[in-house]
Amino acid sequence: MLYAQGPDDLLSVADALKLSGRDYMQGILDGDYPAPPMGKTLNYKLQDVGDGHIIFRGSPLFDHCNPMGTVHGGWYGTLLDSAMACAVMTKVPRGSGYTTLEYKVNILRSIPLGMEVDCIGTIDHAGRSTGISHGEIRGVADGKLYATGSTTCIILTP
């Protein structure tokens, strides 16, 4: 996966608006467009794109620890925000954008450092002005549920 190295690597707003949200996400997965640098920073990448469905795969590193030596809640939150919001993005029509209005995270158990997890985002509602989705973080090897979340996004139509 190619990550954007600087602002000029990302698609311009004008170019992004020429694509549906799903086409944009599929383009990232296919390597046609660079992935946002956040994924490189937090060690996760796009794994699968579907209609109202997204999977990111990653693993927390020592750099993502809190002072107690466990994975910081922000890592869970960012991963869930990415998956849940991008699930909404797959339903955003060409010419529109979106952004997260709010999200909630429930951490159920600690993810061991280096353990590979999937973060699955699934759409619950996609309307003209809002999108609602939920997400979960599950261990790839053990299938255990590590965290859940929900989000509301606003769909921005010019």
Side-chain angles (χ1 to χ4, degrees):
M1 176 151 302
L2 173 69
Y3 292 99
Q5 300 297 308
D8 292 339
D9 292 340
L10 296 172
L11 285 184
S12 69
V13 172
D15 286 339
L17 290 175
K18 293 176 185 174
L19 302 168
S20 70
R22 182 167 181 192
D23 289 343
Y24 192 178
M25 294 305 302
Q26 188 65 50
I28 291 172
L29 183 64
D30 294 343
D32 297 332
Y33 311 119
M38 179 63 74
K40 182 178 177 185
T41 301
L42 294 181
N43 198 39
Y44 67 89
K45 65 180 181 174
L46 189 57
Q47 183 74 19
D48 187 51
V49 175
D51 186 28
H53 184 80
I54 288 283
I55 300 175
F56 284 94
R57 181 168 285 176
S59 57
L61 304 173
F62 180 73
D63 289 347
H64 308 131
C65 285
N66 60 28
M68 299 295 293
T70 59
V71 178
H72 190 281
W75 192 86
Y76 294 81
T78 303
L79 189 57
L80 280 162
D81 182 38
S82 294
M84 295 181 303
C86 287
V88 170
M89 185 176 181
T90 67
K91 303 301 270 182
V92 172
R94 180 177 291 131
S96 296
Y98 80 104
T99 192
T100 300
L101 286 175
E102 60 85 25
Y103 71 95
K104 181 181 186 321
V105 173
N106 292 304
I107 298 171
L108 307 175
R109 58 174 52 98
S110 181
I111 300 171
L113 292 181
M115 185 178 126
E116 199 168 48
V117 296
D118 278 344
C119 188
I120 303 114
T122 305
I123 194 84
D124 295 317
H125 166 77
R128 286 179 300 165
S129 61
T130 60
I132 298 169
S133 66
H134 66 276
E136 56 184 40
I137 297 176
R138 290 194 173 269
V140 171
D142 65 11
K144 288 183 181 177
L145 183 62
Y146 286 83
T148 64
S150 60
T151 193
T152 302
C153 296
I154 186 169
I155 298 172
L156 307 163
T157 306

